[in-house]
Amino acid sequence: AQSVAQPEDQVNVAEGNPLTVKCTYSVSGNPYLFWYVQYPNRGLQFLLKYITGDNLVKGSYGFEAEFNKSQTSFHLKKPSALVSDSALYFCAVRDLYGNNRLAFGKGNQVVVIP
Amino acid sequence: GAGVSQSPSNKVTEKGKDVELRCDPISGHTALYWYRQSLGQGLEFLIYFQGNSAPDKSGLPSDRFSAERTGGSVSTLTIQRTQQEDSAVYLCASSLLVREGEKLFFGSGTQLSVL
């Protein structure tokens, strides 16, 4: 079954510095990969996805993620973090040829320090 | 409505009681998911509905949990004989089709507290 690992519980970064949130995945076939964000007191929102094609995917709010098949990773990045980026970030994976379940990681709390 | 609606937003119940959680997906969305979010546990898949197909119930943690989706729209998640470990936020999400790239739209969730 597909699964996702987000190894860090919390990521602290100074405002203006690059932000990276790590994600590795496991699927039996080809992966569809997603990042979702949960801002305080708000529902989960879609950020970006990788289906096929260019390994670098750009999404909302200046975020991007790089698909690395050899390392089975899909790390989320932002060149310059904002205080408003402080939120809970979830990586998710679906197996192209498997079931339709979207498996989420446990989430990473990102804290951007002014 | 404009988004996925869940009710109630908060539910406090006593151990052993039954609870029903409701989800109204976005109109026209054929796929509907239930997830459970516990502190430090991430999102735990519970059940998934797609059109008229048999639901994928493989994530339901015990036979106390059940869900149905009437008329391909509204869904109800029922927890019987609630236990304290059932306390969590229950999230519903819908999407247009369960295809490779379809993103999920989430509701704000129901915070369930079992005393």
Side-chain angles (χ1 to χ4, degrees):
Chain A
Q2 59 269 47
S3 66
V4 162
Q6 294 182 248
E8 300 160 315
D9 290 332
Q10 181 164 314
V11 175
N12 296 325
V13 61
E15 185 176 24
N17 281 3
L19 169 63
T20 298
V21 188
K22 296 180 180 178
C23 170
T24 58
Y25 65 89
S26 173
V27 295
S28 56
N30 291 328
Y32 290 148
L33 293 155
F34 303 79
W35 276 98
Y36 284 79
V37 60
Q38 187 174 39
Y39 295 105
N41 301 316
R42 293 176 64 180
L44 275 152
Q45 300 176 31
F46 169 82
L47 263 184
L48 51 78
K49 65 184 179 184
Y50 170 82
I51 305 302
T52 187
D54 194 348
N55 289 343
L56 185 63
V57 177
K58 295 188 182 297
S60 306
Y61 312 120
F63 283 92
E64 58 187 29
E66 185 166 12
F67 170 63
N68 188 317
K69 188 172 183 178
S70 63
Q71 298 184 4
T72 61
S73 67
F74 190 57
H75 301 329
L76 181 70
K77 299 179 181 181
K78 186 170 183 179
S80 178
L82 301 173
V83 173
S84 57
D85 293 329
S86 298
L88 191 56
Y89 291 81
F90 290 92
C91 184
V93 66
R94 173 181 292 153
D95 188 338
L96 170 59
Y97 295 113
N99 59 50
N100 292 308
R101 180 186 307 191
L102 185 61
F104 283 82
K106 63 179 175 63
N108 281 123
Q109 183 67 52
V110 169
V111 177
V112 181
I113 303 163
Chain B
V4 177
S5 177
Q6 291 188 246
S7 61
S9 56
N10 282 281
K11 177 70 176 179
V12 180
T13 190
E14 294 178 350
K15 178 182 173 181
K17 299 287 188 182
D18 298 350
V19 296
E20 284 189 354
L21 312 180
R22 177 187 169 101
C23 173
D24 280 280
I26 293 173
S27 178
H29 280 194
T30 59
L32 187 148
Y33 288 80
W34 282 97
Y35 286 89
R36 179 166 70 175
Q37 184 177 17
S38 305
L39 192 62
Q41 300 298 316
L43 267 67
E44 175 188 6
F45 167 80
L46 297 178
I47 188 169
Y48 144 72
F49 297 89
Q50 170 60 51
N52 295 321
S53 302
D56 176 355
K57 303 179 181 180
S58 58
L60 295 177
S62 76
D63 59 7
R64 296 186 294 106
F65 288 72
S66 63
E68 62 178 19
R69 189 179 185 190
T70 55
S73 181
V74 172
S75 177
T76 301
L77 177 68
T78 301
I79 309 173
Q80 295 178 311
R81 306 180 302 281
T82 52
Q83 303 295 313
Q84 289 183 334
E85 60 263 28
D86 299 335
S87 297
V89 176
Y90 289 82
L91 295 170
C92 175
S94 69
S95 70
L96 276 170
L97 281 174
V98 181
R99 286 189 315 208
E100 53 272 13
E102 295 297 339
K103 63 184 181 183
L104 301 186
F105 293 82
F106 282 84
S108 297
T110 294
Q111 173 73 63
L112 176 65
S113 300
V114 182
L115 305 179

